[in-house]
Each structure stands twice: as C-alpha cells, then as structure tokens.
C-alpha cells in the first residue's frame, strides 16, 4: 500500500483549512463548478510555468536543490516529479503529460505550498542554498499541501454535503468528480472518508492477468468512512485475487461490477449484509462496500485482519 499522504493532527488540519478558506474567499470560488482553479491561482498571484520549462536546464537545477540526496537520486526522482513550486519566482511547474484532473490537483497542491506561510518561507530559504529539506519535514509539508488541495478542490464541506443527498453507489463519486473537476480517484477517496454513512473503499492498482497466476490487483489505498471504521475497523490487505472474499467484485473483462451481496462481520462478531460494487478506470479499480442491514448467524465472507484503527 502507498504510505499515508494526508493524515494531520486536528490543529494542523484546522490551520491548513483556514488558509485554503481564505484563498477561496479571495477568488470568489465558493459555489462555482467545476472549482475555478485558474481564478484561485490568480488570487494567489501564482503563474503556471510554460510547458517547455519543465525540461529546461534551469528547472533541472531547481529539482536538484529540492530533492533529498539529489546527487544520487536526481534521475529517478525527476521521473516521479509531477509538480514543483518556485517560491522566489512565484511560479509552479506542472507536468502536463498527466491528465487534466490530475493537473488540477497538482496546481492546488503547489498553491498550498505558496499559501501556507511556513512553507513559503522555508522553500525560499532552501532554494537559495544547497541544502535540502529533512525527509520528516518534507513529508509533513506534502501532507499539509495535499489537505490544502483537498479543501480547495472540494470547496470545504460542499462535496460532503452533496454526497450525503446522493445514492450510496460507486456512480456517485464518479458523477461528483465531473461536478468538481476532480479525478475519479480523488473524488472516490473524498466520498469514502467524509461520508456520514458506513462505507469502505478499496483503491486497487490495475488488474494483472499473468500466465500461470490467477487474476489479481495490488491494494493501493483503503479509505473508510468514520462510522465504518468505528463499527468494523479498517482491513489490512496487500492484494485481492479471485480467491479472495472480495474476488467476485473484480471487474475482469468489464468496466463495472453491479452491486453484489456479501456478508461482513463487525468488531463484535455480528454479521451484516452488505453490497459491494466496482468500477475500473484506466489507472485504478475502485471497490465500494457498504452495509445494508444487520444479520444474525455465522459470518461466511470477508475474513479480514483488522489493524484496530477507529
């Protein structure tokens, strides 16, 4: 699974969201759909660098200064860099080879570095010398910028409020992704972790069909709504194949799996009737699971191991 990219302490999250709220106010962005990213950038007084600058020599030098252990890892790091913030020039660099919705999130992420005062100050300091950010600081900054982008893109609680009035179905985050101008991946994560109803989302890597092996997909992330995590816990899984309890949900040879009944046990051992459905994007597979009603009797499906997170 991918490492945590968004967890913050409550006071840290509140500080980040205040800055994002202020920028949305300055951009008059509330209630405008899709979220007006260009107006947000204008309100932040940021520019997006021309396409050709992403490969220019000056940009390579900038990447080198920002990359931990740059002398050894520049080549591999550059292949993974999708966006960068130049605090001195007030320019953000975005790799436009990725999809438009991904570029949207990247722009707001880099804007977060600009709008969060500590980020801007530290970035200027380190861009003017040959030192690099300590990995723990860099990780904290990335999680803060991700939450800034989330808040701005989904306009505070606007997404959560819209989702609460829509069906519990995998089609809902797909529809809301178009509404807000987000990727299906980002929309699905927001749907699961902010929903007032109990639901669980598996985000899988593309399904692998290899000779001699059953079809499988590696688990990229797992998101649970607060009520699901409290009642059921959060499962731990590295991959799902056709022999897994959720294997029937894998959309093999099709784009979607229709709602399918399954049984899921909560932390007390009580069994619940649930529905599971799936949607395959070009980049990921989304498995959405949600309870419909409690049952009595033994559990006959989904024998997961839980990590105890509530």
């Amino acid at each position: 699974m991918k490492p945590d990219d968004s967890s913050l302490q409550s006071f840290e999250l509140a500080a980040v969201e205040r800055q994002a709220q202020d920028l949305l106010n300055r951009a008059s962005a509330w209630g405008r759909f899709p979220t007006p990213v260009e107006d947000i950038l204008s309100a932040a007084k940021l520019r997006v660098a021309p396409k050709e600058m992403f490969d220019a020599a000056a940009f390579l030098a900038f990447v080198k200064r920002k990359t931990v252990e740059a002398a050894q890892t520049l080549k591999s790091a550059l292949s993974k860099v999708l966006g960068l913030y130049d605090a001195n020039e007030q320019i953000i660099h975005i790799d436009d080879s990725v999809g438009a919705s991904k570029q949207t999130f990247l722009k707001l992420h880099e804007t977060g570095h600009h709008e969060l005062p500590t980020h801007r100050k530290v970035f200027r300091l380190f861009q003017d010398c040959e030192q690099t950010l300590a990995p723990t600081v860099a990780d904290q900054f990335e999680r803060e910028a991700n939450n800034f982008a989330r808040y701005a893109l989904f306009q505070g609680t606007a997404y959560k409020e819209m989702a609460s009035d829509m069906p519990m179905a995998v089609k809902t985050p797909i529809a809301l992704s178009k509404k807000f101008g987000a990727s299906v991946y980002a929309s699905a994560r927001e749907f699961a972790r902010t929903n007032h109803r109990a639901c669980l989302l598996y985000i899988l890597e593309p399904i692998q069909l290899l000779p001699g092996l059953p079809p499988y997909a590696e688990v990229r992330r797992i998101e649970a709504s607060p009520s699901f995590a409290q009642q059921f816990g959060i499962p731990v899984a590295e991959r799902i194949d056709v022999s897994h309890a959720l294997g029937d949900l894998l959309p093999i040879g099709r784009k979607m799996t229709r709602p399918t009944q399954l049984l899921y046990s909560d932390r007390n051992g009580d069994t619940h009737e649930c529905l599971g459905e799936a949607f395959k994007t070009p980049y990921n597979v989304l498995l959405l699971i949600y309870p419909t009603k409690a049952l009595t009797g033994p559990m006959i499906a989904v024998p997961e191991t839980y990590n105890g997170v509530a």
Side-chain angles (χ1 to χ4, degrees), residues 158-195:
Y159 182 103
K160 175 182 177 180
E161 292 164 0
M162 288 186 190
S164 68
D165 294 328
M166 298 176 72
M168 174 57 70
V170 75
K171 290 183 178 180
T172 293
I174 297 172
L176 288 174
S177 71
K178 299 173 183 176
K179 175 79 171 181
F180 285 83
S183 66
V184 173
Y185 170 83
S187 180
R189 292 186 71 184
E190 193 71 8
F191 180 82
R193 58 187 168 188
T194 65
N195 211 293

Side-chain angles (χ1 to χ4, degrees), residues 23 26 37-49 84-94 106-116 120 124 148:
L23 181 57
R26 282 154 39 207
V37 176
E38 298 309 315
D39 288 350
I40 291 173
L41 291 173
S42 178
K45 298 181 179 179
L46 275 175
R47 294 176 294 134
V48 177
L84 283 169
Y85 165 55
D86 186 335
N88 290 327
E89 299 296 329
Q90 294 187 265
I91 290 177
I92 57 177
H93 301 264
I94 301 296
L106 290 170
K107 289 175 182 178
L108 294 174
H109 174 99
E110 300 304 329
T111 301
H113 289 314
H114 176 73
E115 286 291 307
L116 295 166
R120 184 165 61 244
R124 282 176 176 165
F148 183 99

